[in-house]
Amino acid sequence: MVYMRVPNAGYPQRGVCHKRSRFVRLYLKPAVKAGFFVGNSAARYFRNKGKGSLPTFVPSMRRKTMRNDKCTETREYPAFAAASALRGEGVFPDLSASPFLTIPSFVDVHVHLREPGFFYKETILSGTTAAAASGYGHIFAMPNLNPVPDTLENLNIQRAIIEKDARIDVRPYGAITTGEKGERLADLAAMAPYVIGFSDDGVGLNDPALMREAMRIARRLELPIVAHCEDLTLRDGGYIHDGVYARRHGHKGISSESEWRPIQRDLALVQETGCKYHVCHISTKESVELIAEAKARGLDVSCETAPHYLLLCDEDLQEDGRFKMNPPIRGRADQEALLRGILDGTIDMIATDHAPHSREEKSKGLSGSAMGIVGLETAFPLLYTKLVRAGLLSLERLVALMAIAPRRRFGLPDAEEAGDYAVWDLSQAYEIDPESFYSKGRATPFAGEHVYGKCVRNVLGGKTVWDTNDGSADNAKGML
């Protein structure tokens, strides 16, 4: 078995947690219970009653399938040295001295590629180039486009551009309702063979009768409903979280109830219909609790969160459009609940909700800017730096959240069998510079953050889609 030692960085960083005792209660104990530590460093830490150094993660690329607290399957994902893989010399026996790591290529189940209809924000070429350069092999494209993919005819417009321009695998969602207006159902059956699921992402579907019928059809078609859960009647003109920052600075807030109330309603419909159901970008502690309860009842439910909800809370906001997205960055208690959720398995995966806009659309402050930030090119470096290197999460668990769990939930082939992998240089340290992005979008709240990790090679189905050593980066810049 190959191991890669991740250096222990001591205390968690500011904005995640402040005290060691709180860290142990909120994060470390759930992580140990869930089996995300290798070795006995955590047990030794508890025996010493919290004295000494925090446990060091020594994760392997070994996946354990847990069911009823029992390991039912173990599959190894050996970590390759990038130099060895590139030379075709096989697997290094020990990676402790190597900064390179090969892991399954990531799957992002929530990406806005903006084409057709909004090519000034992003194109399928620019968005998939950003994804390829960031270790992603598969991305799922949201349907808030023009035309909306609500019929096979409209969907085929998008599919034709994907076929022509995509640098990696892109799987579109079909809309749940015509025009995403929430008034009548789209042509779900006609689109079913060509989509990964059905979503009205960008707006909430607030008609329970229509959602019930959509779930019944989706179950018959054996595809998931992927829900943007937002009750617009509870939004009341808000544009950031209804919390500390909004009250201090006189902004209109979005309540947490506007997210968790529709989730609560939908879970009752899942119980009734037996539909496969996935919740987009959860951001509140109540959402985590509802999904945990639903899973305990045996419902076919999964969910995602995004890096900005794990790494920021509303106390970190600035008067800048790059801090504005929907749902908004929530309070500290919500952030802590989400971190617990990725440790205990309540949250199944991490998606980016990559949502690029033009500079003009993001230049109007918190109140006037469009909602959405980019995330494909920052997700893994941020999470590796802020969570793994900080000792909050094992590298193995992060890979599961970004690569393995999405494949299994949405029925993609196993990465090892498909020949999908990415090589990362974890020693590369740099500051996030939006001007270097391949995406057309530039808005990120993490501009200037110091991070580690660059993707140096990305292979999809045995074919190289990105390689920093063969001119791919220069060619991509020229094409864009």
Side-chain angles (χ1 to χ4, degrees):
M1 192 62 226
V2 179
Y3 293 94
M4 178 172 179
R5 182 173 296 276
V6 179
N8 177 25
Y11 290 103
Q13 303 206 351
R14 183 182 179 277
V16 176
C17 140
H18 294 289
K19 296 181 180 179
R20 180 179 296 224
S21 60
R22 195 180 192 199
F23 168 61
V24 171
R25 175 173 55 84
L26 294 178
Y27 310 115
L28 192 54
K29 286 184 177 179
V32 172
K33 182 178 180 181
F36 298 135
F37 283 95
V38 177
N40 62 1
S41 58
R44 183 167 58 250
Y45 180 82
F46 287 127
R47 281 201 306 272
N48 294 335
K49 298 182 179 180
K51 296 178 181 178
S53 63
L54 291 169
T56 300
F57 288 105
V58 190
S60 65
M61 288 296 97
R62 178 183 293 258
R63 182 180 75 198
K64 295 180 179 180
T65 302
M66 304 301 292
R67 187 172 298 147
N68 299 326
D69 296 326
K70 295 181 180 179
C71 183
T72 61
E73 174 193 1
T74 300
R75 177 175 299 221
E76 295 184 356
Y77 286 87
F80 294 84
S84 173
L86 293 172
R87 292 195 304 267
E89 295 176 1
V91 181
F92 278 8
D94 183 7
L95 278 183
S96 59
S98 172
F100 294 99
L101 177 73
T102 294
I103 53 180
S105 58
F106 300 140
V107 179
D108 193 340
V109 305
H110 194 138
V111 176
H112 297 269
L113 291 177
R114 304 300 195 199
E115 195 177 22
F118 307 98
F119 60 89
Y120 66 94
K121 300 172 187 274
E122 188 79 288
T123 64
I124 286 170
L125 176 59
S126 63
T128 58
T129 300
S134 306
Y136 287 90
H138 310 265
I139 57 178
F140 301 169
M142 285 299 175
N144 48 344
L145 303 169
N146 185 18
V148 173
D150 51 12
T151 65
L152 182 56
E153 180 182 8
N154 287 348
L155 176 65
N156 282 340
I157 297 172
Q158 181 187 12
R159 292 176 63 222
I161 304 172
I162 292 170
E163 179 69 24
K164 179 171 67 78
D165 289 342
R167 299 192 62 170
I168 61 170
D169 179 43
V170 177
R171 307 200 179 198
Y173 288 104
I176 299 174
T177 65
T178 300
E180 289 198 329
K181 294 179 180 179
E183 296 171 354
R184 58 190 177 90
L185 292 182
D187 193 351
L188 307 185
M191 294 188 290
Y194 311 103
V195 298
I196 196 69
F198 301 110
S199 179
D200 268 7
D201 187 65
V203 291
L205 178 48
N206 293 320
D207 183 340
L210 204 58
M211 179 61 93
R212 179 185 292 107
E213 183 59 23
M215 287 185 175
R216 286 174 175 161
I217 295 173
R219 183 188 180 188
R220 186 168 69 248
L221 296 171
E222 299 182 339
L223 286 170
I225 291 291
V226 178
H228 171 112
C229 291
E230 180 182 22
D231 187 338
L232 293 177
T233 66
L234 297 174
R235 187 158 154 182
D236 196 26
Y239 46 86
I240 64 171
H241 176 59
D242 185 14
V244 173
Y245 190 91
R247 290 190 289 271
R248 285 177 182 171
H249 298 273
H251 290 292
K252 292 184 178 180
I254 300 174
S255 70
S256 296
E257 187 179 2
S258 67
E259 174 179 302
W260 66 256
R261 183 69 71 183
I263 294 177
Q264 185 180 57
R265 179 209 68 186
D266 282 358
L267 292 174
L269 295 176
V270 172
Q271 176 98 47
E272 177 184 338
T273 63
C275 172
K276 183 177 182 179
Y277 179 74
H278 178 82
V279 189
C280 296
H281 46 47
I282 67 167
S283 67
T284 74
K285 61 182 185 297
E286 294 89 354
S287 300
V288 178
E289 292 166 1
L290 286 167
I291 291 163
E293 292 168 2
K295 288 185 172 185
R297 298 200 309 270
L299 299 186
D300 192 0
V301 172
S302 61
C303 69
E304 70 195 48
T305 193
H308 39 283
Y309 304 123
L310 295 168
L311 302 178
L312 299 171
C313 69
D314 68 338
E315 297 169 38
D316 301 309
L317 293 180
Q318 298 177 24
E319 294 294 314
D320 193 309
R322 62 194 177 93
F323 286 84
K324 184 179 181 182
M325 72 288 296
N326 189 28
I329 294 167
R330 301 287 186 179
R332 186 174 298 279
D334 300 295
Q335 180 192 16
E336 292 170 349
L338 294 169
L339 286 164
R340 289 195 299 272
I342 64 171
L343 285 173
D344 66 20
T346 300
I347 297 173
D348 301 88
M349 61 197 75
I350 296 174
T352 64
D353 193 8
H354 176 84
H357 293 285
S358 69
R359 292 180 188 271
E360 181 181 359
E361 289 171 321
K362 294 298 290 183
S363 66
K364 301 173 183 178
L366 288 175
S367 62
S369 293
M371 287 182 165
I373 61 171
V374 294
L376 286 169
E377 294 170 84
T378 59
F380 181 78
L382 280 167
L383 294 167
Y384 171 70
T385 302
K386 302 295 186 181
L387 297 184
V388 175
R389 286 177 64 91
L392 294 175
L393 187 71
S394 73
L395 181 58
E396 179 186 35
R397 179 61 178 154
L398 181 56
V399 171
L401 288 161
M402 296 184 70
I404 298 171
R407 276 185 171 83
R408 299 178 69 188
R409 178 59 172 165
F410 286 87
L412 271 60
D414 180 271
E416 194 171 31
E417 297 169 359
D420 299 349
Y421 67 89
V423 181
W424 286 82
D425 181 355
L426 298 182
S427 69
Q428 282 203 40
Y430 58 97
E431 288 188 356
I432 292 174
D433 176 13
E435 296 307 314
S436 70
F437 289 169
Y438 293 98
S439 169
K440 286 189 173 186
R442 297 290 185 267
T444 171
F446 300 107
E449 287 284 343
H450 187 81
V451 295
Y452 290 85
K454 279 280 189 181
C455 179
V456 297
R457 193 183 195 199
N458 190 0
V459 176
L460 180 63
K463 178 182 178 182
T464 300
V465 295
W466 182 261
D467 193 327
T468 57
N469 295 316
D470 68 0
S472 293
D474 293 336
N475 292 338
K477 283 293 186 185
M479 292 171 64
L480 298 175

